Amino acid sequence: MTNPVTPAYAPPERPAQGDILVVEDTPASLQLLTGLLSEAGHRVRPAPDGELALWSARGQPPELILLDIRMPGMDGYEVCRQLKDDARLREVPVIFLSACTDTDDKLRGFAVGGVDFISKPYQFEEVQARVLAHLELARLRQRLAYQNAHLEQLVEAKAEELAQARLSLLGERQLRDLAERESRLRLSEIAHMNRNASATVYCAALVHELNQPLAAIMSNAEAAELFLNMERPALAEVAEILADIRRDDLRASELIQSMRDLLKKSEAVTASLDLNEVVRVAAMLLASEARVRQCALTLALDGPALPVAADRIQLQQVMINLILNGMDAMADLPPGARRLEISAALAGGQAQVLVRDHGAGFTCDLERVFESFFTTKPGGMGLGLSIAAAIVREHGGQIWAGNCPDGGAVVGFRLPREALPEQGAGDAP
Ligand SMILES: Nc1ncnc2c1ncn2[C@@H]1O[C@H](COP(=O)(O)OP(=O)(O)O)[C@@H](O)[C@H]1O
Ligand SMILES: [Mg+2]
């Protein structure tokens, strides 16, 4: 991969000696300074007045300027002001040369941007010391500026990298969301197929279950007629009978509704549910199937409610698959021994359901029973357990299967125990 950031760099190393512009109107002084500085190894450009000094500096910015204050024409302050107005020359340090030791003059020099003063007559050691100090300072400042620029570049490149990473993460998340939604849809499809496959069982159950409330409604209606035909109609009894009829009617429509829900094709809807209630309804739907198969269903539901956030239809489907498997497993037993026990309780902080039968237990590899299309039954589809597992896992739970030490199989699952937040008062109705 190419690195978009240029490597850390510093301005080219310069010799300790500098490129110095000396501006001085007195020829003898100019000559003296030029000579001394050149002897010390500096590259020196002499300028006898302000105009020439500016011209030379603009042609090639020096590293340092020694600038006389008192000059005919343009004085040192004005030269300095113009240097500071030029973006390319602004950073070049200016040391004023002056015969005057007046503090006001010095203050004025600093005000226009000078960095130091050297008083005439010159002490060459002092000149050399100040020149070297300011050269080094200027070079350090330049190096710092280079490094800052490099750091900024680095930060910018990192920010760009980060933005790219965030973008690709976003893309990945969108893809994952899409895949998740697809797999949910596929699960809904397969689950619906599986429910349809059990439709005959449900229909038999429905016919059976409806008989009971319908018969009750009929006999209650007949009784009401008798009460009304009496010489003094027993209205209180009739009112009671009507309440009974309403209750039976409600039960019948609940049954029809549950069956409709199971057979309907719908996308999963997560809601706050009581797992005990899901178990109860599933057992109710299969009660007549159990009667036909001469199988005793017992429920042990712990506590008033086991709240879970889940899709009701899908959980019912899990229960129905496990109950049907249990009943299948006991088909060869004498009727009295066909006992299916369903329990629901809190376990390890989660809502747990166990479906236990007294059949021969799992006779195959336990790993395989949750695979799709794995079946040991002649007319089996091999979808019940794989769908149950997919649904439970989709809900963030675990499912397992095993054999009981005293015979029979047990299939259990656990779901996170959680209630969806109540619809707040502020929510739209
Ligand atoms: N309660 C059980 N007792 C014994 N074996 C079982 C039980 N439940 C499931 N199995 C085994 O797991 C297999 C897969 O079950 P399932 O996925 O429901 O498909 P199917 O019931 O159509 O065979 C069954 O064929 C059976 O071998
Ligand atoms: Mg099955």
Side-chain angles (χ1 to χ4, degrees):
M1 209 179 86
T2 54
N3 189 349
V5 182
T6 51
Y9 64 96
E13 276 302 327
R14 302 202 202 206
Q17 286 72 23
D19 173 6
I20 303 170
L21 176 63
V22 181
V23 194
E24 167 72 77
D25 66 313
T26 316
S29 289
L30 183 60
Q31 214 170 1
L32 177 71
L33 266 180
T34 307
L36 287 173
L37 287 169
S38 299
E39 245 167 65
H42 299 287
R43 187 179 159 237
V44 187
R45 290 187 241 165
D49 61 47
E51 261 94 21
L52 278 175
L54 284 172
W55 177 82
S56 166
R58 284 178 184 135
Q60 164 83 46
E63 281 189 274
L64 184 74
I65 301 174
L66 298 185
L67 180 57
D68 192 11
I69 293 179
R70 304 260 179 260
M71 293 186 291
M74 193 186 291
D75 68 5
Y77 299 129
E78 181 52 29
V79 175
C80 190
R81 211 174 287 122
Q82 292 201 25
L83 286 169
K84 298 299 160 190
D85 270 351
D86 188 325
R88 283 179 68 221
L89 299 172
R90 192 168 297 148
E91 300 299 326
V92 181
V94 173
I95 301 178
F96 281 113
L97 307 170
S98 170
C100 43
T101 46
D102 195 338
T103 312
D104 277 353
D105 273 353
K106 289 194 176 172
L107 285 180
R108 226 181 129 194
F110 285 123
V112 294
V115 294
D116 206 352
F117 273 87
I118 298 176
S119 309
K120 298 177 188 176
Y122 307 123
Q123 282 284 320
F124 188 67
E125 284 74 16
E126 189 196 348
V127 174
Q128 171 73 344
R130 287 186 195 271
V131 161
L132 283 180
H134 284 289
L135 272 178
E136 179 154 352
L137 212 64
R139 287 172 183 175
L140 277 177
R141 203 178 300 127
Q142 212 177 1
R143 188 182 294 260
L144 210 65
Y146 273 113
Q147 277 170 354
N148 269 350
H150 173 69
L151 266 181
E152 260 165 39
Q153 222 181 351
L154 206 72
V155 167
E156 239 168 63
K158 282 283 161 208
E160 170 77 3
E161 246 173 58
L162 208 69
Q164 288 288 349
R166 192 173 302 145
L167 217 73
S168 69
L169 207 68
L170 208 73
E172 251 170 49
R173 189 174 308 148
Q174 270 168 354
L175 277 180
R176 205 179 49 222
D177 285 353
L178 204 71
E180 267 174 18
R181 190 177 142 67
E182 256 182 23
S183 92
R184 262 202 307 279
L185 276 178
R186 211 167 308 129
L187 179 61
S188 296
E189 288 274 327
I190 297 174
H192 179 242
M193 245 169 57
N194 170 243
R195 290 200 293 271
N196 272 353
S198 319
T200 41
V201 174
Y202 304 146
C203 286
L206 186 62
V207 171
H208 229 88
E209 290 302 310
L210 282 181
N211 266 341
Q212 193 268 332
L214 286 179
I217 288 169
M218 176 61 86
S219 67
N220 268 328
E222 282 166 1
E225 252 173 11
L226 284 179
F227 281 123
L228 287 174
N229 286 337
M230 281 170 22
E231 210 169 301
R232 291 173 59 198
L235 292 184
E237 277 81 356
V238 172
E240 245 175 64
I241 285 173
L242 284 178
D244 277 357
I245 289 178
R246 188 173 296 127
R247 202 196 52 231
D248 284 328
D249 186 84
L250 216 65
R251 180 170 149 69
S253 33
E254 264 173 21
L255 271 170
I256 293 173
Q257 191 52 48
S258 316
M259 207 61 77
R260 264 212 196 114
D261 288 347
L262 271 175
L263 296 178
K264 200 168 59 186
K265 195 170 175 176
S266 55
E267 249 190 76
V269 179
T270 306
S272 222
L273 303 178
D274 173 14
L275 191 55
N276 279 339
E277 184 57 24
V278 173
V279 172
R280 213 176 281 125
V281 170
M284 175 192 82
L285 286 169
L286 291 180
S288 60
E289 181 72 12
R291 253 193 316 274
V292 171
R293 299 201 196 189
Q294 295 181 285
C295 177
L297 278 189
T298 55
L299 295 189
L301 306 179
D302 193 26
L306 277 181
V308 290
D311 178 78
R312 191 166 50 86
I313 311 292
Q314 289 192 349
L315 285 195
Q316 272 175 19
Q317 185 171 4
V318 172
M319 285 311 303
I320 286 167
N321 281 332
L322 301 190
I323 296 171
L324 285 177
N325 275 350
M327 295 201 287
D328 285 348
M330 297 188 290
D332 295 336
L333 298 186
R338 298 176 196 158
R339 289 177 288 119
L340 191 81
E341 291 140 19
I342 307 170
S343 62
L346 259 186
Q350 293 192 302
Q352 174 178 278
V353 172
L354 297 176
V355 178
R356 193 249 152 109
D357 62 59
H358 291 269
F362 288 92
T363 51
C364 53
D365 185 357
L366 279 176
E367 292 289 307
R368 301 207 55 200
V369 296
F370 293 107
E371 282 174 18
S372 300
F373 306 112
F374 173 82
T375 181
T376 57
K377 301 171 195 169
M381 297 242 300
L383 279 179
L385 284 183
S386 72
I387 286 172
I391 291 173
V392 168
R393 288 177 193 138
E394 175 75 27
H395 285 83
Q398 311 106 49
I399 188 166
W400 65 96
N403 290 324
C404 297
D406 50 343
V410 61
V411 180
F413 65 88
R414 280 185 183 181
L415 296 175
R417 179 181 176 278
E418 60 173 305
L420 281 184
E422 286 287 320
Q423 291 279 307
D427 290 350

